[in-house]
Amino acid sequence: MSMFNHILVPVDGSKPSMLAARKAAELSKVFGSAVTAVYVVDPYPFTGVGADFAYGQSQYLSAATAEANTALDAVKAIMDEAGVPVKTLVGEGHAVHEGIVRTMESVGADLVVMGSQGRRGLEKLMLGSVTQRVLGAVKIPVLVVRE
């Protein structure tokens, strides 16, 4: 029984999340862990009704999905280079950390490897808010990869 059977890597396309993907690839090789990468999209960022809303919603969703696929393709490239198989998923969550927790439960992950997703000003002093919320919401270990 290896220490970690399934590593979840939440990504957002940022540099820290790509560093996290590299770290997950290394760990996967050491422990023989399965790896799943997830990009969480908020399916309902707007509130509103009517035709304009519906149009805006579908525009948004296709842009968000394209962004997710770009980030996940980058992770796939990192994993391919390392010779590590990876499953990629686009998750959904009104809050990103909820989507991450849901994915973690559905794939049965026992380790989360993620970048510190804070990008601006004060957030640089602490972990990104998504990372912080994941840490507060899960019982499994979380490895935070700093730049």
Side-chain angles (χ1 to χ4, degrees), residues 7-12 17 36-42 89-115 117 128-138 140-142:
I7 301 172
L8 180 67
V9 191
V11 296
D12 64 358
S17 72
T36 299
V38 62
Y39 185 109
V40 177
V41 169
D42 177 357
L89 297 171
V90 178
E92 286 193 350
H94 200 42
V96 174
H97 72 282
E98 285 167 12
I100 292 170
V101 172
R102 207 173 303 126
T103 306
M104 180 198 98
E105 287 165 353
S106 72
V107 303
D110 49 16
L111 173 67
V112 176
V113 178
M114 67 191 298
Q117 255 99 326
S129 57
V130 171
T131 312
Q132 205 124 36
R133 290 199 176 107
V134 168
L135 285 169
V138 305
I140 65 172
V142 178

Side-chain angles (χ1 to χ4, degrees), residues 45-95:
F46 308 123
T47 47
V49 285
D52 286 351
F53 166 70
Y55 175 73
Q57 175 80 355
S58 74
Q59 290 283 86
Y60 159 78
L61 270 179
S62 64
T65 305
E67 212 169 272
N69 289 328
T70 301
L72 291 169
D73 285 345
V75 172
K76 257 194 211 116
I78 288 168
M79 296 293 171
D80 284 350
E81 206 177 297
V84 171
V86 62
K87 218 170 82 185
T88 57
L89 297 171
V90 178
E92 286 193 350
H94 200 42

